[in-house]
Amino acid sequence: MGLKIYNTLTRKKEEFKPLVGNEVRMYSCGPTVYNYAHIGNFRTYIFMDTLRRVLKYNGYKLKHAMNITDVGHLESDADEGEDKMLKAAKRENKDPYEIAEFYTNAFFKDFDMLNIDRPEIICKATDHIQEMLQFVKEIMANGYAYETSRGIYFDISKLDKYPILSTRKVDEQIAGARVAVDEEKRNPEDFAIWIKAPENHIMKWESPWGLSYPGWHIECSAMSRKYLGEEFDIHTGGIDHIPTHHENEIAQSKGATGHIPARYWMHCNYLQVDGGKMSKSLGNVYTVSTLIDKGINPLAFKLFCFSSHYRNNINFTFEGIEATNKAYARLKEGYNKHNEGTADVSDSIVNDFKAKFEEAINDDLNMPMAMGIVWDVIKYPSKSKKLSELLEKFDEVLGLKINEIDKNTSDLPQEIKELIEQRKQARENKDWEQSDILRDKINQLGYLVKDTKEGMAVEKA
Ligand code: AMP
Ligand code: ZN
């Protein structure tokens, strides 16, 4: 069975086929590095990671680019407000490039803790100003854009259809718009592709229209073309990108090259907190560090994300993540039991589990269903190495480091150390029942136990 994915562009689940051979060319909208990324943002990157891993599992070779936005993303996606980078530079009294470097490093630190695979190409907006300028010039030359006193605007009336990615009506946007009408724009929905910089603006570059800077949407159009070509396979992002950012990327590419840049458009739904939006004013913007401070393993957050399909929203609560943290410990423990098991399990049982898992991941990344199969394997009563090897295979997609144990116990809490000592004693006395009770107690406190040749290894789940 082949891989099926939901395409926002056609609003259908489609059979996936790369445009050329066995290589998948994919572009993902990356972070705007003006602050720490929150766990909502990371839900979208975990989705991106799972997609990468599923594609690889299916034997495809990847050429995947992700951008780092370090200029041009204004406070509102629709060209209003201050540049987020400059606002952060003022807030922290630093140079915008320092801000970008600091938060890019913080982003990748969290990225690695979540065991998200690095895309083959990471491209920074400020390194590609010339490519963006070239893109703008082509749109202008083809008659799809015009100059105003504020910048270069894309003329949506030149397109055969706008919008095509979202179902929103242009008129609704106008009626509900809070922003002042720009008299110079030909159509209210026209958007800036190149912005003239005010006198005191820090990030600006020479152009035929004076010192200016790129609009946010043009960066993705220019960089995806540079690295992946005019037409590539998959474009990903969060659902908030559908109505403006991705819609406008499509418009720009049509204006410059005549093509919709990607064949499949995939979008991850929101992570909500306590049933609502994550927002600074509600004080519920959580990061990977928040989780670590509360004793949650970042990979338990990845497992938490697998509890909902990426096209549905998911509600984050501390109760929920604490339960998942314990489940993550049980998952590793279950893997260990199979790894130490000596039972024989028939190939048909192993193949049946494998087929069901593959059916789930290939059905538009149905991770809740895939995890159901994983738990069936974990709970399988006969403990066999064949099943721990199968779980290792599944982990190529899950990226949960299911088989990794940290042997360093020096910084464990006193309570855990005491339980470890009691368990050692029980094992020396060959009191296996007591040993198992103590193992469960340690697990309940959020730690994993593995009996290895070198002795007992314990780590935080
Ligand atoms: P930004 O750095 O603001 O451009 O956002 C980075 C990515 O996170 C984008 O793909 C957004 O669509 C996505 N995103 C933002 N908020 C959430 C959320 N609460 N849940 C899931 N994804 C989100
Ligand atoms: Zn983008």
Side-chain angles (χ1 to χ4, degrees):
M1 193 194 92
L3 169 63
K4 284 207 171 102
I5 54 179
Y6 182 84
N7 188 354
T8 310
L9 190 62
T10 56
R11 294 174 192 95
K12 279 202 297 261
K13 227 191 258 182
E14 294 176 22
E15 190 85 36
F16 175 72
K17 254 188 165 318
L19 287 168
V20 183
N22 198 41
E23 186 178 64
V24 180
R25 283 167 296 148
M26 168 164 144
Y27 186 88
S28 297
C29 289
T32 306
V33 282
Y34 68 109
N35 211 332
Y36 293 105
H38 55 63
I39 55 174
N41 301 135
F42 278 112
R43 182 189 185 199
T44 292
Y45 300 116
I46 287 172
F47 150 71
M48 171 192 94
D49 181 57
T50 309
L51 175 61
R52 277 183 61 89
R53 288 168 180 272
V54 168
L55 288 164
K56 275 191 174 176
Y57 189 97
N58 278 279
Y60 292 115
K61 199 169 158 280
L62 282 176
K63 187 171 187 190
H64 177 200
M66 183 180 79
N67 66 299
I68 302 287
T69 300
D70 56 355
V71 67
H73 194 167
L74 305 188
E75 282 171 284
S76 133
D77 288 356
D79 307 331
E80 290 299 325
E82 207 176 342
D83 186 313
K84 290 184 180 187
M85 294 305 301
L86 297 184
K87 201 171 171 208
K90 275 189 208 154
R91 178 186 73 216
E92 300 187 21
N93 200 18
K94 282 188 187 145
D95 180 60
Y97 291 96
E98 269 178 80
I99 295 281
E101 195 186 345
F102 178 84
Y103 289 112
T104 302
N105 290 339
F107 175 78
F108 282 113
K109 200 168 145 246
D110 291 351
F111 204 82
D112 292 344
M113 276 195 286
L114 291 163
N115 196 24
I116 298 175
D117 260 359
R118 295 267 173 126
E120 285 67 29
I121 301 151
I122 308 274
C123 38
K124 205 161 77 170
T126 50
D127 288 341
H128 297 82
I129 300 295
Q130 290 318 311
E131 285 86 346
M132 297 178 208
L133 194 49
Q134 174 61 25
F135 215 99
V136 172
K137 285 179 186 167
E138 286 173 42
I139 297 173
M140 271 298 247
N142 292 342
Y144 282 83
Y146 57 94
E147 183 178 359
T148 79
S149 62
R150 293 182 70 191
I152 306 301
Y153 279 78
F154 192 95
D155 183 347
I156 60 148
S157 67
K158 293 278 170 12
L159 295 167
D160 48 350
K161 197 163 183 269
Y162 182 95
I164 64 167
L165 193 60
S166 71
T167 47
R168 100 187 131 89
K169 298 212 170 50
V170 168
D171 297 351
E172 278 170 18
Q173 183 90 355
I174 302 161
R178 278 174 290 134
V179 294
V181 176
D182 180 346
E183 298 287 350
E184 290 181 80
K185 287 209 282 188
R186 292 182 188 163
N187 312 285
E189 285 279 301
D190 290 352
F191 57 91
I193 54 179
W194 194 255
I195 305 165
K196 294 180 184 171
E199 188 85 29
N200 58 355
H201 207 267
I202 312 172
M203 299 175 102
K204 54 190 169 190
W205 291 265
E206 289 289 353
S207 82
W209 308 283
L211 286 169
S212 28
Y213 60 98
W216 174 38
H217 322 303
I218 204 78
E219 75 171 82
C220 291
S221 293
M223 291 193 283
S224 63
R225 177 169 77 170
K226 171 167 179 170
Y227 293 105
L228 307 174
E230 284 184 5
E231 288 178 284
F232 52 92
D233 298 296
I234 308 178
H235 197 312
T236 77
I239 50 164
D240 53 329
H241 286 166
I242 299 172
T244 309
H245 184 51
H246 288 173
E247 195 66 73
N248 292 349
E249 270 188 53
I250 291 176
Q252 290 167 162
S253 286
K254 280 182 135 187
T257 71
H259 301 296
I260 295 177
R263 175 127 177 238
Y264 305 88
W265 293 76
M266 297 180 75
H267 296 96
C268 181
N269 208 325
Y270 274 133
L271 176 98
Q272 296 186 318
V273 177
D274 294 322
K277 199 175 178 257
M278 239 191 307
S279 88
K280 286 215 180 69
S281 59
L282 295 171
N284 63 3
V285 177
Y286 305 127
T287 62
V288 171
S289 302
T290 321
L291 299 181
I292 294 170
D293 290 346
K294 291 193 185 283
I296 309 288
N297 188 318
L299 292 175
F301 177 66
K302 201 174 201 185
L303 180 61
F304 180 82
C305 290
F306 295 155
S307 65
S308 175
H309 190 271
Y310 77 87
R311 285 197 287 126
N312 295 331
N313 59 24
I314 183 169
N315 188 34
F316 178 88
T317 62
F318 277 100
E319 257 174 25
I321 193 71
E322 271 154 21
T324 312
N325 204 35
K326 290 191 181 128
Y328 182 57
R330 286 199 304 278
L331 194 68
K332 286 188 145 191
E333 196 54 45
Y335 164 84
N336 286 337
K337 281 188 182 153
H338 279 306
N339 201 33
E340 289 158 12
T342 51
D344 192 25
V345 169
S346 74
D347 286 348
S348 80
I349 288 177
V350 174
N351 291 338
D352 188 46
F353 279 135
K354 190 161 175 274
K356 283 183 178 147
F357 180 83
E358 289 171 1
E359 196 182 321
I361 58 169
N362 282 347
D363 182 14
D364 191 31
L365 274 53
N366 191 337
M367 298 314 287
M369 189 175 271
M371 281 315 300
I373 314 298
V374 171
W375 285 112
D376 286 347
V377 175
I378 293 283
K379 289 180 193 148
Y380 197 72
S382 304
K383 301 300 170 196
S384 159
K385 229 181 162 52
K386 272 193 195 167
L387 293 179
S388 62
E389 278 162 12
L390 181 67
L391 289 165
E392 281 172 33
K393 178 83 189 147
F394 291 172
D395 203 40
E396 287 173 19
V397 171
L398 308 173
L400 288 172
K401 297 192 176 181
I402 205 163
N403 59 346
E404 252 183 41
I405 292 278
D406 176 7
K407 296 208 176 71
N408 180 10
T409 59
S410 59
D411 51 9
L412 293 173
Q414 191 55 30
E415 189 183 5
I416 301 293
K417 281 187 189 156
E418 279 168 17
L419 288 169
I420 292 171
E421 277 319 304
Q422 287 170 26
R423 187 164 180 269
K424 271 188 196 156
Q425 200 60 51
R427 291 176 76 78
E428 272 170 29
N429 298 339
K430 301 211 181 324
D431 186 350
W432 307 123
E433 199 178 318
Q434 180 65 2
S435 162
D436 284 350
I437 291 171
L438 288 162
R439 187 215 291 257
D440 289 344
K441 261 194 187 167
I442 296 170
N443 287 167
Q444 276 162 15
L445 292 167
Y447 288 81
L448 283 173
V449 182
K450 189 185 181 191
D451 298 310
T452 67
K453 276 193 234 94
E454 299 87 49
M456 198 187 322
V458 176
E459 69 160 7
K460 193 135 190 34

